[in-house]
Amino acid sequence: MSSAWTVCNREQRLHRFLSVAMLPFTDAASVRGQVAGIGFGANIGPALQTLQDAWRRVQQHPRIHPLTISSPYRSRPVDMNSTNWFINAVALIRTTLPPQALLHLLQTIEEEFGRTRILSGSVPQDRTLDLDLLFYADCRMQTETLTLPHPRMAKRLFVLDPLAEIAGDLILPSTDQPVRTVRDSLRLGAANQQVEKSCWPS
């Protein structure tokens, strides 16, 4: 397994990054880079390989420094009529790209992997690749194309389980609580959300 996929001593390494990088969203802080969370998902095609390839593609951008990625998780589709389970993961990066530019990059990568975007309000469809910008430092914003933090991340175990694995003590900007606490509370009332931890191929 390449070093990009090694996840030993994650909590110790990330504590250093997150303690200094989750700074207030200001122009001065952006010069040094902000920590952002990206959700990865796919439920058609070679999903596990797609997520690995997409993570490598994200890392190719010169203004992105990869921090870590979680294990992959299998999850039953939520709020969509499909029998194809998803493979999900969450990655943390440090970037000097502003939020809208980062979103544009993620959408470009989705299209490279065959993603066809549907109209807002349409019935959710199976996806070759889904990349969601979950949070960007403590930035709170809402535009026609981007809402930060992601409006549904605190209600999705397929996001919270992998995020808790790599940064359980991170304070979610949308709840002002640690990821692990939000995840544990959601588990008590989300019996319909099935999530299973898996592993990357060696």
Side-chain angles (χ1 to χ4, degrees):
M1 184 180 297
S2 68
S3 59
W5 297 93
T6 302
V7 235
C8 23
N9 298 320
R10 242 184 227 150
E11 293 291 338
Q12 291 90 337
R13 278 187 301 143
L14 281 173
H15 178 75
R16 181 176 70 256
F17 282 119
L18 297 175
S19 62
V20 298
M22 291 299 284
L23 300 171
F25 177 54
T26 65
D27 290 339
S30 297
V31 172
R32 298 190 296 276
Q34 300 280 14
V35 167
I38 302 172
F40 290 69
N43 75 330
I44 54 175
L48 198 62
Q49 184 64 51
T50 295
L51 264 58
Q52 288 182 302
D53 293 342
W55 174 227
R56 295 188 184 100
R57 175 67 178 82
V58 168
Q59 295 177 68
Q60 290 174 0
H61 196 283
R63 292 178 64 181
I64 288 178
H65 175 74
L67 299 181
T68 192
I69 191 169
S70 71
S71 301
Y73 287 73
R74 293 183 69 249
S75 67
R76 186 175 183 176
V78 176
D79 295 336
M80 62 182 291
N81 185 19
S82 175
T83 58
N84 298 318
W85 281 45
F86 277 85
I87 301 294
N88 297 100
V90 170
L92 298 180
I93 63 171
R94 188 199 296 275
T95 183
T96 55
L97 289 172
Q100 290 283 3
L102 179 55
L103 174 66
H104 178 71
L105 171 66
L106 298 180
Q107 291 177 340
T108 298
I109 295 173
E110 287 179 335
E111 293 172 0
E112 291 174 2
F113 282 83
R115 170 75 183 272
T116 300
R117 308 201 71 81
I118 60 175
L119 297 176
S120 176
S122 301
V123 177
Q125 303 292 322
D126 293 331
R127 293 117 190 234
T128 54
L129 179 64
D130 191 16
L131 297 176
D132 288 325
L133 181 53
L134 301 175
F135 61 86
Y136 185 100
D138 68 347
C139 177
R140 297 172 187 263
M141 65 183 294
Q142 184 168 3
T143 70
E144 291 184 358
T145 58
L146 178 61
T147 299
L148 289 173
H150 193 286
R152 293 181 298 279
M153 66 178 293
K155 300 296 184 182
R156 298 291 187 250
L157 282 179
F158 62 77
V159 172
L160 296 178
D161 268 346
L163 184 55
E165 177 193 330
I166 58 176
D169 294 329
L170 178 68
I171 302 299
L172 275 185
S174 57
T175 66
D176 295 324
Q177 293 181 308
V179 171
R180 191 177 289 110
T181 300
V182 177
R183 188 273 313 271
D184 291 346
S185 297
L186 182 60
R187 276 181 174 173
L188 297 176
N192 64 321
Q193 296 192 41
Q194 296 178 249
V195 180
E196 303 170 356
K197 186 176 180 179
S198 186
C199 60
W200 300 111
S202 56

